Amino acid sequence: MNKERLIPLIVATALFMENMDSTVIATSLPAIAADIGTSPLTLKLAITSYLLSLAVFIPASGWTADRFGARLVFSGAVAVFMVGSIGCALSSSVNDFVIARVLQGMGGAMMTPVGRLVLLRSIDKSALVNAMAWVTVPALVGPVIGPPLGGFITTYFSWHWIFLINIPIGLLGIFMALRYIDPIRSEDPERFDLYGLLLAGIGLGGIAFGLSIAGLNLVPWHIVIALVGVGTISMTLYVIHARRTASPVLDFALLRLPTMRASIIGGFLFRLGIGSLPFLLPLLMQVGFGLSPLSSGLVTFASAVGAMGMKTLAARIIRTFGFRNIMVINAVVSSIFLAACALFTIATPLLLIMILLVVGGFFRSLQFTAINTLAYAEVEPAQMSRATTLVSVNQQLAVSAGVAVGAFSVESTMLLHHVSELSAADFAPAFIVVSIISTVSAYFFYQMPVDAGHQVSGRGVVVVASPERDAEPEETAATETANARDQRLG
């Protein structure tokens, strides 16, 4: 297997383990809580502590990879995640379990951005769309197969195996990484911005943690608002600090690049809407329609089928139509399929629901692949570690915000209907709200240049041939695109 396929699969394996683990626990919380002698509500701290750990440690990932080498840090992150998984399986109290989940979060915080950094430093930009298509799949497949897998393991085996199945996957990932990934490291690592890390950690932790618990009903809303407020103040102080330092942990100067700006702002809005789907849809299926967790998971798995069907076509589609055209239209199309979930009722045939989820999953996966690839189109090699850190932080906040917006919409609908028990009718407005937010992302993609991302798409830039040139316009465009890519890669 060539490097363009092998390395994305190595990175994707680790990301799949992380994405699946973060969702598989949801259906097993009652069994775990009963076994260690606590309530499921209290044990939800395990979910939020994991997200908090992610938010705090992601900003340090870029500098760590530059200082110690991306391959070594990636392999070490997988090992830390495995140790946390073993800790979860051996936990006998809430404290043990929360500590183990924090350790898992530390490993996950390094795995995602450093895994992408490994990919970017190992794969030629001309092959990046295909590589990102493979890496994007775990992020879409993990959340949808996690709940049914968790329910299956808990029902027929023991909840401990939810975490122990990570061990063989992790060992294989470490072996493959050390064997097949080149030991690339920065020649001149920058000074570590400890003060910036503290401000960013408090800021991101407050915002992400606040938004995450907003969807879990763990604390009153005024505490949620206080957490988000403190986080916002800290992030504001960080932005002021970042302008005065040469090596910020989060480099917002990258937003001057049109492709990075569109990927961050437009991508945030799109992910916010789509990120609420793994939260809202299982609730609708189980609470609204009365399906079991396993049956609900099998229905929502249809989204993963569509996502996997996309990976072989993404590069060809983007090369044919270009990033801007695809992302503007596809943002609207994906949002329409998201809004279609508002029409689901208990009388809707499950086959029709699954068909809509399969098709919608295809378009969502195509959009994620485009967003993830476009972000790095104009980034220079020396800035790659900063870019992967910024993108990972943006994704984490978008997912947390998606859950919060979805939960707030459902609760607001219940308040307006003057009901205390959740029903299927309370979900429709939430799907409409998040789909509108996703649609707004199309505006930011439309603002990009027509030839945005041509460095990685393989699509020729638009040029006008001079009369004295013998070459055809199409040939000239292709040549100039190749020359531009060669200069950038050189």
Side-chain angles (χ1 to χ4, degrees), residues 442-479:
Y443 169 75
F444 295 94
F445 299 135
Y446 180 76
Q447 287 186 317
M448 294 190 299
V450 176
D451 62 346
H454 69 270
Q455 301 92 333
V456 293
S457 68
R459 179 176 170 83
V461 295
V462 180
V463 298
V464 179
S466 301
E468 58 270 16
R469 289 189 181 182
D470 295 328
E472 293 294 328
E474 293 82 0
E475 183 180 342
T476 303
T479 302

Side-chain angles (χ1 to χ4, degrees), residues 38 138 166-167 183 206 210 239 322 339 390 421 433 457 479:
T38 187
N166 290 331
I167 307 308
V239 171
L390 186 62
E421 289 197 10
V433 169
S457 68
T479 302

